[in-house]
Amino acid sequence: MAYGWGSLRSTMWAILCLAAATVAWSAWRVVDVVTSDAVIAPIEPRSGTPPTPLFGGELAVGNRIDLTVDKADLGRLGGFVEFCRIVEPLAAMTVILAGMYFAYRFSAEVIRGTPFSKFASINLIGLAVSVVAYPVIPSIFGLLGTNSVIGALDLDDFDAHSSAVGYFVAIGIASFIQFVYVLTRQGAKLAEDTDGLV
C-alpha cells in the first residue's frame, strides 16, 4: 500500500515525527544543562554506611538523594561534569535514532511483503542492540558525572545512585525481539523449502 495507515509513506512520516521529537527533547536537555548554574547528582550512601538522621527521618543504604550543587563549587572538575551532563542526552538521542532507523527498515521489509528476508533479520538485530544500548550508554556518562561531583566535594560515604530496572526492561524487550528474529529465520527457511518444492 502506498498510502494510508500501514503504508510505507505513513510509517516514514511517523518515524520522522518521532525523530524530530527526540531531537527537540535532547536539545532542550542540553540547553537546560548549559544555562543552569547548578548540576543535580543522584547519590546514595555507600554500602556499610550506618543510618544517618535526616530531617526527622533516617538516611540509609539504598536511599536516593538528588544533590543540587553549584557549578562554581566543583572546581576543576566542573567542566568535565558539565561535559558528561551534555553528552548524556546526546548519547540517548543517538541510540534512539538508531533504533528508529532499524525499526523503519524492518517495517519497510514487512510492508513490501518480505518479512523473512536477510535484510529484515539484520534490522531486527540492530533494533535489539539499540534497545539494550539505550539504558547502558547514556548511564555511563551519568555515572561519570556523578562520581566526579562526589570526588570534587569529597563525599567519601556516598556512591552514584544507579538502578537496574531499566537494564532488565531492555533485556526483556531485546529477548522478545530475538524471539521474533528466530521466527523470521524459520520463516525464511520454510519459504526457501517451499520454493524448492515448487
Side-chain angles (χ1 to χ4, degrees):
M1 294 191 308
Y3 300 95
W5 291 109
S7 68
L8 190 58
R9 181 167 298 188
S10 65
T11 302
M12 179 186 69
W13 278 109
I15 293 292
L16 286 176
C17 289
L18 288 173
T22 301
V23 171
W25 167 75
S26 302
W28 174 79
R29 288 190 61 189
V30 169
V31 170
D32 184 56
V33 169
V34 172
T35 57
S36 176
D37 293 328
V39 295
I40 298 175
I43 61 175
E44 62 184 6
R46 181 168 292 177
S47 178
T49 303
T52 305
L54 183 69
F55 300 117
E58 244 184 13
L59 177 62
V61 175
N63 296 146
R64 168 178 169 160
I65 302 174
D66 286 335
L67 185 66
T68 302
V69 183
D70 195 295
K71 290 179 180 178
D73 296 333
L74 297 176
R76 58 186 178 82
L77 289 175
F80 181 71
V81 172
E82 185 168 10
F83 168 77
C84 290
R85 290 294 183 256
I86 290 172
V87 174
E88 186 178 358
L90 295 180
M93 178 192 71
T94 303
V95 174
I96 291 172
L97 292 179
M100 288 180 183
Y101 172 74
F102 289 117
Y104 169 74
R105 285 182 49 137
F106 175 73
S107 301
E109 292 295 324
V110 173
I111 292 170
R112 292 190 186 109
T114 56
F116 303 134
S117 67
K118 290 182 179 179
F119 291 111
S121 299
I122 291 171
N123 291 320
L124 270 180
I125 294 173
L127 179 58
V129 171
S130 299
V131 169
V132 173
Y134 177 72
V136 176
I137 296 178
S139 68
I140 291 173
F141 295 99
L143 289 173
L144 283 173
T146 300
N147 283 328
S148 297
V149 171
I150 292 172
L153 301 180
D154 294 325
L155 301 174
D156 297 331
D157 292 332
F158 292 88
D159 282 326
H161 174 78
S162 60
S163 174
V165 175
Y167 301 106
F168 288 124
V169 171
I171 290 172
I173 296 172
S175 298
F176 174 75
I177 295 174
Q178 177 66 20
F179 173 72
V180 175
Y181 169 75
V182 171
L183 290 180
T184 59
R185 295 315 304 146
Q186 291 299 320
K189 289 180 181 178
L190 287 173
E192 289 174 2
D193 293 342
T194 303
D195 290 339
L197 290 174
V198 174

